[in-house]
Amino acid sequence: MNLANFIEDHREQHLAELYEFLRIPSVSAKSEHKPDIERAARWVADKLRAAGFKKVEIVPTNMHPLVYAESLEAPGKRTILFYGHYDVQPAEPLDLWTSPAFEPTVREGNLFGRGTADDKGQVHIHLKALESLQQVNGKFPINVKVLIEGEEEVGSVSLWDYVQKNKEKLKADALVVSDTSMLAKGVPSITYALRGLNYYQIELTGPARDLHSGVYGGAVPNPLTILTELFAKLHDKNFRIAIPGFYDDVAKLGNAERKALKSLPWEKKDFEKAVGAPGYVGEKGFSIVEQLWTRPTLELNGIWGGYTGEGAKTVIPSKAYAKFSTRLVPNQNPQKIAKLVEKHVRKLLPKTVICKFELLSSGKPWAAPFHDPIFATAQAALQKGFGKKAVFIREGGSIPFVTQMHDTFKVPCVLLGFGLPDENAHAPDEHIALENYFGGIKAIANFYSDLGTL
Ligand code: BES
Ligand code: MN
Ligand code: MN
């Protein structure tokens, strides 16, 4: 049987199997989901075995297990390493989901559920592409190593250590990842740059205990007020980050790249529809695409303290907290940026509060040229899956492992994304377009198959 027919004939089966994967609430951020994490790792390992991998390992780490598999039975052929993650973001707020987060549901050509786009659906595309090749040809066309982790959504904390200790094992001619998006519906895309990410938490302590705001208010520092004043000072009126030295190492966009980004079929109206805000802000002097993909940012991600329950409570809190992050671009150094941020935060804070400053996770930005022949093969394979020429894009999100691999092995990293920017990754009603899931299986099967003929 030929590959295209095999894939076509197994659509329902593939989808039913993806449902199983999506039903496992493998939320890496919450310890109550530890058993689900373990179950998801085992599920992935089983499916790798079913796809034809004889060597499959579940590797314990300090946090969540990694799944590793390899098939090195195509002598003389290339070796690729496929990377993805089986963990997902928390599904909260649950009441904003139209159908339950862990009960996959199809509506109007989209499959809804946590992890559909990020990243279980995309990992499954590769599992089924590989299995189809194995079923049709009795073997894989190339040598394949697979690494699926369970900590991506919490910063890939254990991964770096594993990479350092297993360099020979993970060595490959190229890294392949599907954990990004297409530029727009019907526009297959290859991502050649990602932003890096530093994630911080601060705790401010004022009074030694919570205080009655009537008895003490007016004569004591309020850490919550001080925290909001701090964040109000971190951007200037042009929406630039007001931290000395923050932009010092930012790579300037070349004219050729600026032009290439400008000519992409990116639509402002799609962006505005996806965001749905009454108005927009961004760093002055840059297009929206440039702001999203090529400029660093500082975002407040959560702030809490005091009383937020029902009714009123007149209290001056002892403590106030914030989680915030900086997206980084070439050639910013995450460690250097963390120092600059901490120094400036401490400088802005009054002596009336004590500040605990933590860097929770850190990942470097990544941008790489795409002239290696593997990119042309990827482009041709996407054409076979989607009937359209793939464009080369950058993206604003972060995948720590991509930079780690690129730095360690200096190999081409091919990021083929099958999500869409408006598919609500990390939010309620996450979904993936079924046409992209099925098109993805076709494209990836062709990609691996074509790599076998190089
Ligand atoms: N798949 C995303 C990364 C992504 C999203 C890349 C959109 C390109 C476009 C990944 O799962 C993710 O969410 N990464 C986190 C990083 C992290 C260290 C928690 C991110 O970007 O916030
Ligand atoms: Mn992801
Ligand atoms: Mn994610």
Side-chain angles (χ1 to χ4, degrees):
M1 194 184 222
N2 95 8
L3 185 65
N5 292 339
F6 183 92
I7 293 172
E8 196 57 37
D9 289 353
H10 286 77
R11 280 168 70 107
E12 288 313 307
Q13 216 170 310
H14 289 163
L15 195 57
E17 192 186 284
L18 174 57
Y19 279 29
E20 279 178 36
F21 194 15
L22 295 169
R23 286 193 182 110
I24 308 172
S26 47
V27 179
S28 49
K30 294 183 161 183
S31 44
E32 69 198 73
H33 285 294
K34 188 75 189 165
D36 302 312
I37 282 280
E38 310 262 332
R39 192 146 56 92
R42 283 198 302 274
W43 191 94
V44 170
D46 287 347
K47 296 307 165 221
L48 284 163
R49 270 182 222 105
F53 287 89
K54 291 187 199 100
K55 177 169 171 177
V56 179
E57 304 168 347
I58 296 180
V59 186
T61 70
N62 285 336
M63 203 193 291
H64 301 322
L66 295 159
V67 183
Y68 175 80
E70 66 180 36
S71 169
L72 306 177
E73 290 157 33
K77 304 289 185 189
R78 274 158 204 256
T79 303
I80 65 106
L81 172 66
F82 168 65
Y83 161 85
H85 61 95
Y86 66 78
D87 65 321
V88 297
Q89 287 274 326
E92 284 81 3
L94 300 180
D95 54 320
L96 294 185
W97 286 79
T98 308
S99 49
F102 296 104
E103 189 41 65
T105 308
V106 172
R107 288 191 298 277
E108 289 164 21
N110 292 313
L111 174 62
F112 287 80
R114 175 57 87 232
T116 44
D118 186 11
D119 179 34
K120 285 172 168 175
Q122 300 206 53
V123 165
H124 200 247
I125 285 172
H126 287 256
L127 296 179
K128 293 306 105 178
L130 286 163
E131 187 186 58
S132 302
L133 288 164
Q134 180 75 230
Q135 296 280 327
V136 171
N137 305 320
K139 58 179 187 194
F140 294 138
I142 49 172
N143 300 300
V144 187
K145 300 178 175 183
V146 177
L147 184 63
I148 316 279
E149 69 154 318
E151 295 178 14
E152 199 278 340
E153 298 293 8
V154 288
S156 301
V157 202
S158 306
L159 199 58
W160 179 239
D161 186 52
Y162 180 77
V163 173
Q164 291 317 302
K165 287 185 179 139
N166 293 278
K167 282 195 187 159
E168 211 36 55
K169 185 170 182 167
L170 296 175
K171 208 170 163 199
D173 300 310
L175 173 69
V176 177
V177 180
S178 288
D179 192 22
T180 49
S181 299
M182 295 167 49
L183 182 68
K185 208 165 182 121
V187 187
S189 311
I190 300 172
T191 297
Y192 67 88
L194 294 167
R195 289 193 286 194
L197 180 74
N198 273 357
Y199 202 99
Y200 317 90
Q201 179 164 327
I202 55 181
E203 176 193 285
L204 298 188
T205 310
R209 55 195 61 83
D210 282 7
L211 301 171
H212 188 298
S213 67
V215 177
Y216 291 99
V220 298
N222 183 325
L224 210 38
T225 311
I226 290 166
L227 191 61
T228 55
E229 283 165 357
L230 168 71
F231 280 99
K233 288 178 193 145
L234 294 181
H235 287 94
D236 70 14
K237 62 177 192 318
N238 293 326
F239 214 71
R240 277 172 70 87
I241 297 152
I243 296 177
F246 189 86
Y247 290 95
D248 283 2
D249 301 327
V250 169
K252 221 178 146 219
L253 200 58
N255 275 337
E257 190 176 6
R258 192 165 227 183
K259 248 176 86 185
L261 294 182
K262 211 172 162 185
S263 70
L264 287 170
W266 184 89
E267 298 287 342
K268 189 171 175 205
K269 65 172 188 338
D270 290 346
F271 162 79
E272 291 187 345
K273 192 165 159 250
V275 179
Y280 293 84
V281 293
E283 189 185 349
K284 214 172 151 182
F286 297 89
S287 72
I288 298 175
V289 165
E290 289 166 3
Q291 288 167 357
L292 297 172
W293 296 349
T294 75
R295 301 297 295 169
T297 62
L298 183 148
E299 298 286 354
L300 183 51
N301 302 113
I303 186 162
W304 72 103
Y307 184 71
T308 55
E310 197 181 340
K313 181 186 180 194
T314 45
V315 64
I316 296 171
S318 164
K319 289 180 190 291
Y321 302 84
K323 288 182 187 283
F324 70 107
S325 54
T326 47
R327 293 280 165 184
L328 307 174
V329 301
N331 299 312
Q332 287 179 298
N333 173 311
Q335 263 63 46
K336 184 173 164 190
I337 292 295
K339 284 203 189 94
L340 290 177
V341 172
E342 177 169 2
K343 189 171 160 204
H344 193 62
V345 162
R346 290 196 184 282
K347 195 178 144 203
L348 290 178
L349 287 170
K351 298 274 173 288
T352 50
V353 286
I354 296 160
C355 173
K356 182 172 156 199
F357 186 103
E358 284 176 284
L359 177 65
L360 298 186
S361 77
S362 189
K364 286 168 73 177
W366 168 75
F370 42 92
H371 24 253
D372 189 280
I374 195 170
F375 290 100
T377 311
Q379 218 176 5
L382 285 169
Q383 176 121 29
K384 289 179 195 168
F386 293 87
K388 222 169 165 180
K389 193 156 183 223
V391 295
F392 286 90
I393 63 171
R394 297 174 68 138
E395 283 195 273
S398 311
I399 309 173
F401 184 69
V402 173
T403 325
Q404 294 179 8
M405 268 303 283
H406 196 239
D407 286 359
T408 309
F409 300 107
K410 312 268 179 291
V411 291
C413 301
V414 190
L415 274 61
L416 307 137
F418 301 108
L420 287 169
D422 64 353
E423 287 181 332
N424 300 334
H426 296 202
D429 281 350
E430 178 180 349
H431 58 279
I432 190 166
L434 285 175
E435 66 176 78
N436 293 342
Y437 169 71
F438 291 121
I441 297 179
K442 206 165 144 189
I444 295 298
N446 277 291
F447 180 43
Y448 290 148
S449 170
D450 293 351
L451 284 177
T453 66
L454 287 187

